[in-house]
Amino acid sequence: MADFIDPKSEWWRQAVCYEVYVRSFADGDGDGVGDLPGITARLPYLRDLGVDALWITPFYPSPQHDHGYDVADYTGVDPLFGDLAAADDLLAGAHELGLRVIVDLVPNHTSSEHAWFAAALAAGPGSPERARYLFRQGRGPEGDLPPNNWQSVFGGPAWTRVEDGEWYLHLFDPTQPDLDWRHPDVGDLFEDVLRFWLDRGVDGFRIDVAHGLYKVEDLRDQVVGQDEQAGSGAVNSTQTMVERDALRDEPMWDQPEVHEVYRRWRKVLDFYDGDRMAVAEAWTQTSDSMARFVRSDELHQSFNFHWLTAPWSAAAFAEVVEQTLSAMALVDASATWVLSNHDVERHPSRYGGGERGLARARAATLAMLALPGSAYLYQGEELGLEQVDVAPEHRQDPSYLRTGEPGRDGCRVPIPWSGDHAPYGFGPGSGQPWIPQPEGWGPQSVAAQTGNQDSTLEFYRRALALRRSVATTAGDEVAVEVVDTDLLVLRRGDLTVVVNTGSTPRALPAGEVLIASAPLPDDPDGDPDAPGTPGTGTPGTAGTAGTRLLPPDTAAWLADPS
Ligand code: NOJ
């Protein structure tokens, strides 16, 4: 009899995946830039932290105009980060420790230094080489106006003119020309790339700009209101890459043809053993359109960016959780949760910074970790790092260079491992790494926080361990309630999660406190996780003698009284 495989048991359904921004995680050779051997050497740290998988940002040959998201060769390793043998070592080392590895795939655009683009420029207008990209004649009598009104995500027109007078489309930087996915060579190239990395043993792919790929066929203008500017969702503007005020006409994104690509890729992934997976980075406009990417014959997961844009509010968090779970239920997919990544302001800073920002960040993290589905963590959040105010002369983000807006460098500063001055154990070199680290970061280093039970690092370690024993086993149903505006209560099986987003302490419901994001006030030892301490009864009622209170900006997990 064939073995019955429970489709709900795949590893990625409840995994905690840790995003490694390769330039900034660990530097093995002392040149001030993180690399693959640096990651390999730190794998035991990730195992001990308690994550299940790491997602590594692009490490392929690249001129690094967008720090690797401009790929010149999809099946190599940039010498800055190592070589193919170093990638193999990393994969073997991770698997030995029981960690899975997800690599980044960038199919929407290549680097302008990719062999295909060089050939397209050399071959000239009308050539088959140009047909793999989106070259067009300009508008106006001289053809000196862009072919349509689309704007680049990094600011300015999405078109650049080449010497012979044609224009090419780049939804990001001019060094990132968009591929034409209607050309058969493009699909074939990426199938080969998938197989190349699957054969080497990767466990999954994170698909960059997964909703891009196909543009509306006639490349028509974006329809915008009279007082509105055309846009494709800019970095760090009021309308960010992940936040849309209202539904917009977006002929550059989320076209129906893209789903055929993922059906093809799913077949490739399913051909390999070991539950290989793919997670989409798709900034779709609605939960329903996000769900389309994770239908059972397409990708396995899609990043859910809604929490990134939610304010610190019980009602906003409740909405994120409810909308996400109901959209995923439509297609029987597993949810994902994200509070920080390499494109957004770190969540302690988003919640106001300082002690309060950190307290809120820890509380939001604890709520997220209790939910069904996968949690994607971003390196350094386990250290409670805030966004760094990078001096303009050190900023490198192409969106900053094109717009003058602060950009994303502040969440990409190399993380502190030990010591009290740069490079804080980031690598064997001395002095500052590729983006300078702030002074006074020593107390936030891994070494300084290890063993200090109040530290954010030890809090993450405890929460991740507890998640494995009490959250991932608590089923898929979540009851969401907001009590008196500020108290969010999530019930998942025997686990109750309470988050106080208000400004006064609130009574905890009955049950044993399993973990809290900060010490609870009536705990005589100040031990945030003292097990076995009971709450009272009705959540949120004002405290009476013997009541266990949940301070503002704090979350707790409770086991239901049996
Ligand atoms: C999304 C990536 O996360 C971001 O860092 C990059 O700039 C764009 N895609 C373009 O590839």
Side-chain angles (χ1 to χ4, degrees):
M1 205 174 84
D3 285 345
F4 172 74
I5 300 173
D6 176 5
K8 292 264 170 110
S9 67
E10 296 117 328
W11 66 271
W12 42 266
R13 283 189 179 266
Q14 305 229 44
V16 175
C17 303
Y18 181 99
E19 180 189 353
V20 169
Y21 193 69
V22 60
R23 301 177 66 90
S24 302
F25 182 66
D27 171 16
D29 61 8
D31 66 355
V33 179
D35 49 37
L36 300 187
I39 302 172
T40 306
R42 296 292 188 180
L43 289 171
Y45 167 77
L46 295 179
R47 177 208 45 205
D48 296 345
L49 180 61
V51 304
D52 302 290
L54 50 155
W55 146 35
I56 310 174
T57 57
F59 48 77
Y60 319 110
S62 158
Q64 300 291 317
H65 291 297
D66 190 18
H67 297 330
Y69 285 98
D70 46 331
V71 180
D73 169 7
Y74 289 88
T75 55
V77 172
D78 196 295
L80 189 60
F81 304 128
D83 52 20
L84 278 173
D88 291 341
D89 284 351
L90 198 170
L91 282 164
H95 290 158
E96 220 163 278
L97 298 182
L99 294 165
R100 316 268 180 162
V101 179
I102 297 171
V103 296
D104 223 307
L105 189 72
V106 188
N108 178 67
H109 44 266
T110 68
S111 158
S112 51
E113 292 185 21
H114 190 280
W116 276 7
F117 195 72
L121 287 185
S127 62
E129 287 83 352
R130 286 216 172 169
R132 294 177 180 135
Y133 293 89
L134 291 155
F135 279 88
R136 294 290 183 274
Q137 293 296 326
R139 288 179 176 177
E142 309 298 326
D144 55 359
L145 297 172
N148 68 24
N149 68 351
W150 297 1
Q151 295 291 297
S152 145
V153 173
F154 291 160
W159 295 90
T160 288
R161 197 172 196 194
V162 299
E163 270 179 15
D164 52 50
E166 279 203 328
W167 297 73
Y168 67 90
L169 179 74
H170 52 86
L171 289 174
F172 294 88
D173 196 61
T175 60
Q176 294 166 299
D178 280 52
L179 287 161
D180 186 351
W181 269 84
R182 295 176 200 279
H183 192 297
D185 285 0
V186 176
D188 292 347
L189 170 77
F190 281 94
E191 179 163 340
D192 290 348
V193 172
L194 285 178
R195 290 186 190 279
F196 177 87
W197 290 107
L198 288 166
D199 287 339
R200 293 196 104 83
V202 305
D203 300 285
F205 296 92
R206 176 261 187 194
I207 314 298
D208 188 65
V209 198
H211 62 315
L213 280 58
Y214 279 85
K215 287 77 183 159
V216 80
E217 193 160 10
D218 62 4
L219 302 182
R220 65 167 170 81
D221 272 346
Q222 179 178 31
V223 179
V224 285
Q226 234 180 359
D227 304 322
E228 228 189 328
Q229 284 226 315
S232 22
V235 174
N236 279 345
S237 74
T238 46
Q239 190 222 354
T240 68
M241 292 201 287
V242 295
E243 186 176 25
R244 318 287 164 90
D245 297 338
L247 289 188
R248 291 167 62 96
D249 175 48
E250 293 194 329
M252 67 290 281
W253 303 129
D254 206 2
Q255 299 301 307
E257 296 92 327
V258 77
H259 296 287
E260 273 315 309
V261 175
Y262 301 131
R263 293 197 180 101
R264 178 173 178 185
W265 290 8
R266 181 60 177 253
K267 291 198 185 100
V268 175
L269 291 161
D270 284 350
F271 173 83
Y272 286 80
D273 60 7
D275 293 339
R276 313 294 178 106
M277 58 80 77
V279 52
E281 185 223 18
W283 317 317
T284 61
Q285 298 200 65
T286 64
S287 302
D288 291 352
S289 54
M290 177 175 85
R292 285 200 277 277
F293 286 79
V294 290
R295 288 176 287 197
S296 61
D297 59 347
E298 297 195 35
L299 301 176
H300 302 75
Q301 292 186 323
S302 178
F303 287 137
N304 164 25
F305 292 129
H306 292 171
W307 215 323
L308 296 176
T309 59
W312 174 252
S313 127
F317 285 10
E319 193 180 307
V320 168
V321 174
E322 278 176 327
Q323 278 187 2
T324 304
L325 293 178
S326 58
M328 291 300 102
L330 286 178
V331 287
D332 202 22
S334 80
T336 64
W337 309 100
V338 183
L339 285 166
S340 277
N341 68 29
H342 69 281
D343 288 328
V344 300
E345 190 178 14
R346 285 185 176 278
H347 62 290
S349 306
R350 240 177 25 239
Y351 294 140
E355 271 180 35
R356 193 169 75 165
L358 180 58
R360 289 177 171 182
R362 285 169 56 146
T365 299
L366 199 56
M368 170 178 88
L369 290 176
L371 292 166
S374 297
Y376 282 81
L377 308 181
Y378 178 48
Q379 66 180 38
E381 69 169 84
E382 78 279 19
L383 305 177
L385 298 184
E386 285 201 39
Q387 194 79 356
V388 175
D389 185 13
V390 177
E393 65 273 24
H394 294 301
R395 292 185 195 154
Q396 306 195 16
D397 181 352
S399 78
Y400 166 72
L401 300 175
R402 275 175 77 87
T403 63
E405 295 286 328
R408 302 164 293 176
D409 295 302
C411 62
R412 299 174 174 181
V413 178
I415 64 171
W417 290 91
S418 58
D420 56 11
H421 53 81
Y424 297 103
F426 171 63
S430 57
Q432 288 289 6
W434 69 282
I435 299 186
Q437 297 163 309
E439 276 178 31
W441 241 15
Q444 285 185 263
S445 71
V446 171
Q449 294 198 38
T450 296
N452 171 359
Q453 293 309 314
D454 291 338
S455 72
T456 300
L457 177 57
E458 293 295 354
F459 162 69
Y460 266 72
R461 287 179 174 147
R462 287 193 301 273
L464 291 172
L466 206 55
R467 171 184 159 93
R468 283 179 198 235
S469 54
V470 303
T472 54
T473 52
D476 286 346
E477 298 301 316
V478 181
V480 181
E481 193 188 350
V482 177
V483 181
D484 295 336
T485 315
D486 293 324
L487 204 67
L488 173 68
V489 182
L490 306 168
R491 292 201 173 80
R492 180 182 178 195
D494 292 340
L495 180 66
T496 299
V497 182
V498 190
V499 186
N500 183 359
T501 63
S503 52
T504 52
R506 304 291 293 270
L508 280 169
E512 175 191 339
V513 177
L514 300 170
I515 183 170
S517 61
L520 299 185
D522 59 345
D523 178 348
D525 305 327
D527 175 354
D529 306 329
T533 321
T536 45
T538 319
T541 48
T544 53
T547 300
R548 195 103 211 247
L549 293 175
L550 186 67
D553 304 322
T554 307
W557 289 5
L558 294 101
D560 279 359
S562 41

